């Protein structure tokens, strides 16, 4: 005999319904298919279930393919980790094929790309050099990036174009061909660099000029807005590896474009990262589509795996 004053409810009168009448959101038609040996990348794509991220992956591939066919912008927003993972050759190949028509970089991505073009290496051991204050003190990086931005301000260029231009002059021929900044510059593909003062090591260098950095940075924000304006009815924006800066920049560009009277509807956005942070989720995937249609896609995974797979699927669709 229980000591509790309340007794379990009697479920004998509960109403039930038929499983067939109830239906379900997941159906066997959506299940995965076993991979067939030798069927290649398209075989992998077709073997995925038509559920959740797998279906989102297909949608992203389709959206990029349709954007290229329609001549709409395909903008890749890149954080530093994407470049550090050695993915520049994949991105430059997508650029050559027309699957990337513009790039937006945060300061970190620009630094890593610039250093690779100069020395074939990047990404210092922060823990080892922070105690003695030598973190971020690479002379060539600070001197040449700041000189490039100073020249860019004088010539009326943005940061991305100025950095690509400078690498064309000083890049090591053994490494510079893999630079996204340089390859895009030579192909006249717009690269914008979105700089938050104090977040990047060149801002500590004695050659840093705040006025020049501000001038080329603001130029690139306005250029980015012009590119985003062309996304109406079919463009694609992909955010990879930037948790704060680029999602904020993208949202500001969206509102600036609309404030100026430009229609911006029915486009696709995607956030590809190994952690789904708040700002990309809100500012890239959700908010830009409020009352404007289109698709917002989130795919979670490592850049060094997701991007080559995505690139392979796009190439198979050519």
């Amino acid at each position: 005999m229980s000591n509790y004053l309340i007794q379990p409810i009697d479920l004998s009168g509960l109403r039930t319904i038929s499983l067939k009448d109830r239906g379900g959101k997941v159906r066997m038609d959506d299940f995965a298919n076993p991979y067939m040996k030798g069927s290649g990348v398209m075989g992998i794509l077709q073997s995925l279930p038509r559920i959740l991220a797998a279906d989102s992956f297909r949608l992203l591939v389709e959206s990029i393919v349709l954007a290229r066919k329609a001549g709409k912008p395909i903008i890749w927003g890149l954080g530093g980790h994407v470049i550090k993972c050695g993915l520049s050759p994949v991105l430059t190949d997508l650029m050559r094929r027309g699957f990337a028509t513009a790039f937006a970089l945060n300061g970190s991505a620009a630094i890593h790309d610039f250093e690779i073009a100069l020395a074939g290496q990047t990404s210092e051991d922060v823990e080892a050099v922070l105690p003695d204050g030598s973190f971020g003190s690479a002379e060539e990086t600070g001197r040449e990036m700041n000189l490039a931005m100073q020249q860019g301000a004088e010539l009326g260029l943005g940061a991305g174009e100025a950095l690509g231009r400078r690498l064309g002059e000083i890049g090591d021929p053994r490494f510079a061909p893999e630079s996204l900044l340089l390859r895009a510059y030579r192909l006249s593909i717009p690269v914008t660099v979105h700089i938050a003062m104090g977040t990047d090591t060149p801002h500590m260098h004695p050659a840093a000029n705040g006025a020049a950095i501000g001038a080329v940075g603001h130029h690139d924000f306005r250029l980015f807005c012009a590119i985003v304006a062309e996304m109406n009815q079919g463009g694609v924006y992909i955010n990879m590896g930037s948790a704060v800066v680029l999602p904020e920049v993208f949202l500001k560009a969206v509102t600036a474009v609309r404030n100026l009277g430009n229609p911006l509807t029915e486009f696709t956005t995607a956030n590809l990262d190994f952690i789904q942070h708040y700002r990309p989720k809100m500012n890239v995937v959700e908010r830009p589509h409020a009352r404007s249609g289109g698709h917002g896609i989130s795919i979670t995974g490592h850049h060094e795996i997701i991007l080559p797979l995505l690139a392979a699927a796009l190439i198979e669709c050519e």
Side-chain angles (χ1 to χ4, degrees):
M1 176 69 70
S2 173
N3 287 331
Y4 297 160
L5 298 178
I6 188 168
Q7 297 299 309
I9 197 170
D10 181 2
L11 297 177
S12 61
L14 189 106
R15 293 174 287 108
T16 63
I17 59 174
S18 164
L19 178 60
K20 292 182 179 180
D21 291 339
R22 187 207 66 184
K25 294 188 293 183
V26 175
R27 306 182 67 84
M28 193 168 179
D29 292 343
D30 300 324
F31 280 18
N33 296 307
Y35 175 74
M36 301 297 293
K37 183 177 180 179
S39 61
V41 174
M42 289 307 295
I44 294 174
L45 197 62
Q46 291 166 2
S47 73
L48 299 175
R50 296 191 173 276
I51 298 171
L52 299 175
D55 224 20
S56 295
F57 187 84
R58 286 194 186 88
L59 176 59
L60 180 57
V61 171
E62 179 184 353
S63 298
I64 295 173
V65 169
L66 290 175
R68 187 182 74 153
K69 184 177 181 180
K72 291 293 182 178
I74 305 168
I75 310 167
W76 294 77
L78 307 175
H81 190 259
V82 180
I83 303 299
K84 289 200 297 181
C85 284
L87 295 170
S88 294
V90 178
L91 291 163
T92 54
D93 183 63
L94 290 176
M95 175 171 57
R96 181 179 61 83
R97 295 174 183 273
F99 289 118
T101 64
F103 294 95
L105 278 57
N106 65 9
S108 172
I111 290 168
H112 292 307
D113 187 81
F114 200 88
E115 289 189 338
I116 288 170
L118 290 184
Q121 60 185 15
T122 188
S123 192
E124 60 190 307
D125 187 342
V126 178
E127 288 80 4
V129 294
L130 189 62
D132 67 0
S134 60
F135 165 60
S137 60
E139 170 60 21
E140 298 90 338
T141 307
R143 182 186 68 236
E144 296 299 336
M145 290 191 76
N146 280 298
L147 177 59
M149 287 186 280
Q150 179 68 49
Q151 293 173 339
E154 294 169 356
L155 295 171
L157 306 179
E161 188 172 7
L163 291 170
R165 175 181 176 274
R166 185 60 178 158
L167 286 176
E169 298 172 345
I170 65 169
D172 190 312
R174 295 173 295 172
F175 314 124
E178 296 301 329
S179 164
L180 182 65
L181 287 163
L182 181 56
R183 291 283 291 274
Y185 175 75
R186 288 176 171 169
L187 292 173
S188 298
I189 300 294
V191 177
T192 59
V193 180
H194 303 277
I195 300 165
M197 186 63 75
T199 62
D200 303 316
T201 56
H203 305 163
M204 305 185 297
H205 193 275
N209 183 321
I213 296 170
V216 296
H218 192 246
H219 179 286
D220 271 359
F221 173 67
R222 293 185 295 112
L223 177 58
F224 183 65
C225 288
I227 299 168
V228 169
E230 299 298 318
M231 288 178 59
N232 185 50
Q233 297 289 308
V236 178
Y237 176 73
I238 302 155
N239 184 76
M240 290 192 71
S242 178
V244 178
V245 172
L246 293 183
E248 290 292 351
V249 170
F250 180 68
L251 196 69
K252 306 315 183 294
V254 167
T255 193
V257 165
R258 289 171 174 166
N259 184 282
L260 291 169
N262 300 285
L264 187 56
T265 62
E266 299 297 335
F267 54 91
T268 299
T269 60
N271 184 60
L272 313 182
D273 216 337
F274 49 85
I275 298 174
Q276 292 296 324
H277 294 280
Y278 171 79
R279 281 177 177 82
K281 178 178 183 291
M282 300 305 296
N283 293 0
V284 174
V285 176
E286 295 184 9
R287 286 171 172 162
H289 300 287
R291 299 196 302 275
S292 64
H295 304 285
I297 297 167
S298 295
I299 298 177
T300 304
H302 293 279
H303 304 132
E304 60 271 28
I305 297 174
I306 291 179
L307 181 55
L309 287 176
L310 177 57
L314 292 170
I315 292 168
E316 288 294 329
C317 292
E318 283 188 306

